[in-house]
Amino acid sequence: MLNKKTKIAYIAYRDALETNLEHISRIISESEYGVRIYKLGSSDGPLLRQNGERVFRSFKKNRSMSERANKLLFVMAVLKDIRKYRPAIVHIESSCKYFGIMKLLAPKSKYVYHALSYPMYSKRWQVFKRMLSVYLQCLIMDAVIIQSDAQRKQWL
């Protein structure tokens, strides 16, 4: 059972929050739980921004680096902060295949993996690689949320 001092972290490798995540985090924050949201942003470094009781940490992409390197840097920066923040629950969007690293390197929190949509690629090989990545991450998470029954039947 969660108490009112429980801390929850939401992580999304994207500039704008997905609508469901925005609403879920707001409602949980209004219920007096500690909420910290990690996402991409336009700042030159980690930016701590307070919005009611929600705290946003933004990380800027390095345009001179590859997408893979940017994702790894994002994960490592978030991991460093999560070790200090010590949330009871880490809610991860399915937007970065390296998020599983956090579960392995900071295992004290409960990790929830939120699969938001089907992979959208033009080539079957890309879809297969993405679905394999999602499947492997699901194996190490404490819980998995899937948006729809159709998606659950196809992915699991």
Side-chain angles (χ1 to χ4, degrees), residues 41-58:
S42 57
S43 63
D44 286 334
L47 170 70
L48 215 51
R49 181 168 65 86
Q50 201 80 24
N51 182 4
E53 290 298 312
R54 292 186 295 173
V55 176
F56 292 81
R57 289 274 327 237
S58 295

mmCIF file of all heavy atoms in Angstrom, residues 41-58:
data_model
loop_
_atom_site.group_PDB
_atom_site.id
_atom_site.type_symbol
_atom_site.label_atom_id
_atom_site.label_comp_id
_atom_site.label_asym_id
_atom_site.label_seq_id
_atom_site.Cartn_x
_atom_site.Cartn_y
_atom_site.Cartn_z
ATOM 1 N N GLY A 41 13.913 18.023 -23.271
ATOM 2 C CA GLY A 41 13.512 19.422 -23.204
ATOM 3 C C GLY A 41 14.390 20.276 -24.079
ATOM 4 O O GLY A 41 15.236 19.786 -24.805
ATOM 5 N N SER A 42 14.223 21.570 -23.963
ATOM 6 C CA SER A 42 14.992 22.492 -24.790
ATOM 7 C C SER A 42 16.062 23.227 -23.994
ATOM 8 O O SER A 42 16.720 24.107 -24.512
ATOM 9 C CB SER A 42 14.044 23.507 -25.440
ATOM 10 O OG SER A 42 13.327 24.186 -24.428
ATOM 11 N N SER A 43 16.241 22.867 -22.743
ATOM 12 C CA SER A 43 17.243 23.553 -21.929
ATOM 13 C C SER A 43 18.639 23.027 -22.244
ATOM 14 O O SER A 43 18.802 21.993 -22.866
ATOM 15 C CB SER A 43 16.938 23.347 -20.443
ATOM 16 O OG SER A 43 17.035 21.976 -20.129
ATOM 17 N N ASP A 44 19.658 23.760 -21.811
ATOM 18 C CA ASP A 44 21.046 23.363 -22.051
ATOM 19 C C ASP A 44 21.543 22.316 -21.062
ATOM 20 O O ASP A 44 22.641 21.836 -21.171
ATOM 21 C CB ASP A 44 21.969 24.585 -21.982
ATOM 22 C CG ASP A 44 21.810 25.456 -23.209
ATOM 23 O OD1 ASP A 44 21.425 24.912 -24.261
ATOM 24 O OD2 ASP A 44 22.060 26.656 -23.114
ATOM 25 N N GLY A 45 20.801 21.989 -20.092
ATOM 26 C CA GLY A 45 21.182 20.985 -19.106
ATOM 27 C C GLY A 45 19.954 20.580 -18.344
ATOM 28 O O GLY A 45 18.849 21.011 -18.658
ATOM 29 N N PRO A 46 20.109 19.744 -17.326
ATOM 30 C CA PRO A 46 18.933 19.368 -16.543
ATOM 31 C C PRO A 46 18.241 20.603 -15.982
ATOM 32 O O PRO A 46 18.876 21.493 -15.428
ATOM 33 C CB PRO A 46 19.511 18.518 -15.423
ATOM 34 C CG PRO A 46 20.800 18.017 -15.971
ATOM 35 C CD PRO A 46 21.317 19.115 -16.863
ATOM 36 N N LEU A 47 16.968 20.695 -16.191
ATOM 37 C CA LEU A 47 16.184 21.827 -15.724
ATOM 38 C C LEU A 47 15.156 21.304 -14.743
ATOM 39 O O LEU A 47 14.355 20.449 -15.080
ATOM 40 C CB LEU A 47 15.479 22.500 -16.913
ATOM 41 C CG LEU A 47 14.432 23.560 -16.580
ATOM 42 C CD1 LEU A 47 15.120 24.804 -16.025
ATOM 43 C CD2 LEU A 47 13.639 23.918 -17.816
ATOM 44 N N LEU A 48 15.202 21.802 -13.535
ATOM 45 C CA LEU A 48 14.220 21.414 -12.534
ATOM 46 C C LEU A 48 13.124 22.459 -12.545
ATOM 47 O O LEU A 48 13.378 23.635 -12.356
ATOM 48 C CB LEU A 48 14.903 21.366 -11.165
ATOM 49 C CG LEU A 48 14.441 20.313 -10.192
ATOM 50 C CD1 LEU A 48 14.418 18.942 -10.817
ATOM 51 C CD2 LEU A 48 15.328 20.310 -8.972
ATOM 52 N N ARG A 49 11.904 22.051 -12.823
ATOM 53 C CA ARG A 49 10.794 22.991 -12.901
ATOM 54 C C ARG A 49 9.663 22.464 -12.034
ATOM 55 O O ARG A 49 9.279 21.313 -12.121
ATOM 56 C CB ARG A 49 10.340 23.113 -14.357
ATOM 57 C CG ARG A 49 9.209 24.072 -14.570
ATOM 58 C CD ARG A 49 9.011 24.354 -16.046
ATOM 59 N NE ARG A 49 8.592 23.235 -16.828
ATOM 60 C CZ ARG A 49 7.328 22.859 -16.998
ATOM 61 N NH1 ARG A 49 6.354 23.505 -16.415
ATOM 62 N NH2 ARG A 49 7.031 21.826 -17.753
ATOM 63 N N GLN A 50 9.151 23.296 -11.182
ATOM 64 C CA GLN A 50 8.078 22.922 -10.273
ATOM 65 C C GLN A 50 6.744 23.305 -10.905
ATOM 66 O O GLN A 50 6.588 24.389 -11.414
ATOM 67 C CB GLN A 50 8.250 23.678 -8.951
ATOM 68 C CG GLN A 50 7.557 23.062 -7.790
ATOM 69 C CD GLN A 50 8.334 21.902 -7.197
ATOM 70 O OE1 GLN A 50 9.526 21.818 -7.333
ATOM 71 N NE2 GLN A 50 7.642 21.019 -6.543
ATOM 72 N N ASN A 51 5.791 22.401 -10.887
ATOM 73 C CA ASN A 51 4.461 22.670 -11.408
ATOM 74 C C ASN A 51 3.483 22.091 -10.402
ATOM 75 O O ASN A 51 3.152 20.923 -10.461
ATOM 76 C CB ASN A 51 4.284 22.033 -12.783
ATOM 77 C CG ASN A 51 2.932 22.320 -13.390
ATOM 78 O OD1 ASN A 51 2.127 23.062 -12.824
ATOM 79 N ND2 ASN A 51 2.679 21.743 -14.532
ATOM 80 N N GLY A 52 3.042 22.904 -9.456
ATOM 81 C CA GLY A 52 2.266 22.366 -8.340
ATOM 82 C C GLY A 52 3.201 21.491 -7.538
ATOM 83 O O GLY A 52 4.249 21.925 -7.124
ATOM 84 N N GLU A 53 2.856 20.252 -7.358
ATOM 85 C CA GLU A 53 3.721 19.317 -6.648
ATOM 86 C C GLU A 53 4.530 18.449 -7.596
ATOM 87 O O GLU A 53 5.324 17.646 -7.168
ATOM 88 C CB GLU A 53 2.880 18.432 -5.718
ATOM 89 C CG GLU A 53 2.313 19.180 -4.543
ATOM 90 C CD GLU A 53 3.394 19.749 -3.640
ATOM 91 O OE1 GLU A 53 4.333 19.013 -3.276
ATOM 92 O OE2 GLU A 53 3.321 20.940 -3.314
ATOM 93 N N ARG A 54 4.288 18.596 -8.897
ATOM 94 C CA ARG A 54 5.053 17.810 -9.867
ATOM 95 C C ARG A 54 6.362 18.520 -10.165
ATOM 96 O O ARG A 54 6.399 19.728 -10.322
ATOM 97 C CB ARG A 54 4.269 17.625 -11.156
ATOM 98 C CG ARG A 54 3.059 16.747 -10.976
ATOM 99 C CD ARG A 54 2.381 16.464 -12.286
ATOM 100 N NE ARG A 54 1.832 17.690 -12.852
ATOM 101 C CZ ARG A 54 1.306 17.774 -14.059
ATOM 102 N NH1 ARG A 54 1.277 16.732 -14.838
ATOM 103 N NH2 ARG A 54 0.815 18.908 -14.501
ATOM 104 N N VAL A 55 7.431 17.758 -10.267
ATOM 105 C CA VAL A 55 8.733 18.301 -10.619
ATOM 106 C C VAL A 55 9.123 17.713 -11.967
ATOM 107 O O VAL A 55 9.078 16.502 -12.164
ATOM 108 C CB VAL A 55 9.793 17.948 -9.554
ATOM 109 C CG1 VAL A 55 11.165 18.425 -9.982
ATOM 110 C CG2 VAL A 55 9.407 18.541 -8.204
ATOM 111 N N PHE A 56 9.482 18.576 -12.898
ATOM 112 C CA PHE A 56 9.899 18.146 -14.224
ATOM 113 C C PHE A 56 11.407 18.263 -14.342
ATOM 114 O O PHE A 56 11.978 19.301 -14.005
ATOM 115 C CB PHE A 56 9.253 19.028 -15.304
ATOM 116 C CG PHE A 56 7.772 18.864 -15.421
ATOM 117 C CD1 PHE A 56 6.911 19.519 -14.548
ATOM 118 C CD2 PHE A 56 7.238 18.046 -16.400
ATOM 119 C CE1 PHE A 56 5.540 19.379 -14.661
ATOM 120 C CE2 PHE A 56 5.868 17.900 -16.514
ATOM 121 C CZ PHE A 56 5.019 18.559 -15.648
ATOM 122 N N ARG A 57 12.065 17.213 -14.815
ATOM 123 C CA ARG A 57 13.494 17.272 -15.138
ATOM 124 C C ARG A 57 13.605 17.109 -16.637
ATOM 125 O O ARG A 57 13.155 16.120 -17.191
ATOM 126 C CB ARG A 57 14.263 16.129 -14.479
ATOM 127 C CG ARG A 57 14.432 16.183 -13.011
ATOM 128 C CD ARG A 57 15.585 16.961 -12.454
ATOM 129 N NE ARG A 57 16.818 17.044 -13.155
ATOM 130 C CZ ARG A 57 17.980 16.674 -12.657
ATOM 131 N NH1 ARG A 57 18.048 16.118 -11.474
ATOM 132 N NH2 ARG A 57 19.092 16.862 -13.317
ATOM 133 N N SER A 58 14.172 18.092 -17.290
ATOM 134 C CA SER A 58 14.320 18.045 -18.744
ATOM 135 C C SER A 58 15.780 17.871 -19.112
ATOM 136 O O SER A 58 16.661 18.427 -18.463
ATOM 137 C CB SER A 58 13.807 19.341 -19.374
ATOM 138 O OG SER A 58 12.428 19.469 -19.156
#
